[in-house]
Amino acid sequence: KNETIENQQSQITEGIEYARNLQRNIMVSEEDIKKDLSDCLPINQPRNIVSGDFHWFKKANGIVHIAMIDCTGHGVPGALISVIGNDLLNDILEEDPALLPGEILSKLHAGIIETLKGDEDKRRVNAGMEMGLCSINKNTGSMTFAGANLPLFMVMDKIIDEIPPTTQAI
């Protein structure tokens, strides 16, 4: 019995570690982010092998979009939501690269609801995410922020300012 359990645990762990590699591959690397945002330091320290915490980065029309996202759940469920969220965010900006952060969050909210709606009588999914999204216009140096239950902390001249989010999560 112990050998069977060890084999099963090994197979499960191998599968989850492979999923971690897939999850890492969909996220833009820190090196690629630093090409456009040299002072940026995305930190991703998941509690489990795979995680619902992720960063997202996309350039469109001279604007750099960067977000930190905390999906509902830990481990595999959170990781699945992170993949869905990453794909939806990419699709949203490909459809309309001129969207402001608040508009992106609204479209993401609608997309998550549509993607996870299922058959309400048979499936109950309580999934979502909190996120902070900044859009930085590299030409003007301006930044726009929107947060879904996740604030922005700005440090300027050794002073920390908190920019509050809406209190509604995605």
Side-chain angles (χ1 to χ4, degrees):
K1 289 181 182 181
N2 284 345
E3 187 175 317
T4 300
I5 292 170
E6 287 174 11
N7 285 336
Q8 289 174 343
Q9 183 173 0
S10 176
Q11 289 175 358
I12 291 167
T13 301
E14 285 176 17
I16 292 172
E17 286 174 350
Y18 188 74
R20 174 188 55 203
N21 293 337
L22 294 172
Q23 188 180 28
R24 283 182 182 163
N25 286 342
I26 67 165
M27 284 191 272
V28 175
S29 72
E30 182 180 326
E31 294 79 27
D32 286 341
I33 293 172
K34 285 188 176 249
K35 289 177 188 174
D36 288 288
L37 301 172
S38 60
D39 292 341
C40 185
L41 178 62
I43 298 171
N44 187 6
Q45 296 177 321
R47 189 180 102 177
N48 299 30
I49 296 172
V50 291
S51 171
D53 299 339
F54 72 105
H55 62 270
W56 175 78
F57 178 86
K58 182 104 173 153
K59 293 187 295 187
N61 290 356
I63 297 174
V64 174
H65 304 274
I66 187 162
M68 298 305 290
I69 301 123
D70 180 3
C71 297
T72 303
H74 299 283
V76 174
L80 289 172
I81 298 299
S82 77
V83 171
I84 292 168
N86 185 79
D87 286 347
L88 286 171
L89 284 165
N90 287 330
D91 291 346
I92 288 165
L93 267 189
E94 284 180 25
E95 186 177 303
D96 187 353
L99 290 173
L100 294 171
E103 296 167 324
I104 294 169
L105 294 184
S106 293
K107 287 187 172 284
L108 178 62
H109 183 78
I112 289 289
I113 290 170
E114 179 64 26
T115 300
L116 299 177
K117 68 179 178 186
D119 183 348
E120 290 187 29
D121 293 336
K122 296 178 183 170
R123 290 180 272 204
R124 275 276 182 219
V125 176
N126 185 19
M129 56 188 71
E130 298 175 337
M131 68 184 294
L133 171 63
C134 293
S135 296
I136 303 162
N137 186 318
K138 298 292 280 185
N139 298 322
T140 65
S142 64
M143 181 180 82
T144 308
F145 167 77
N149 212 29
L150 197 65
L152 171 69
F153 292 95
M154 288 182 36
V155 180
M156 295 175 67
D157 299 323
K158 298 182 182 180
I159 297 172
I160 299 174
D161 283 329
E162 179 180 349
I163 311 300
T166 63
T167 56
Q168 180 178 352
I170 302 293

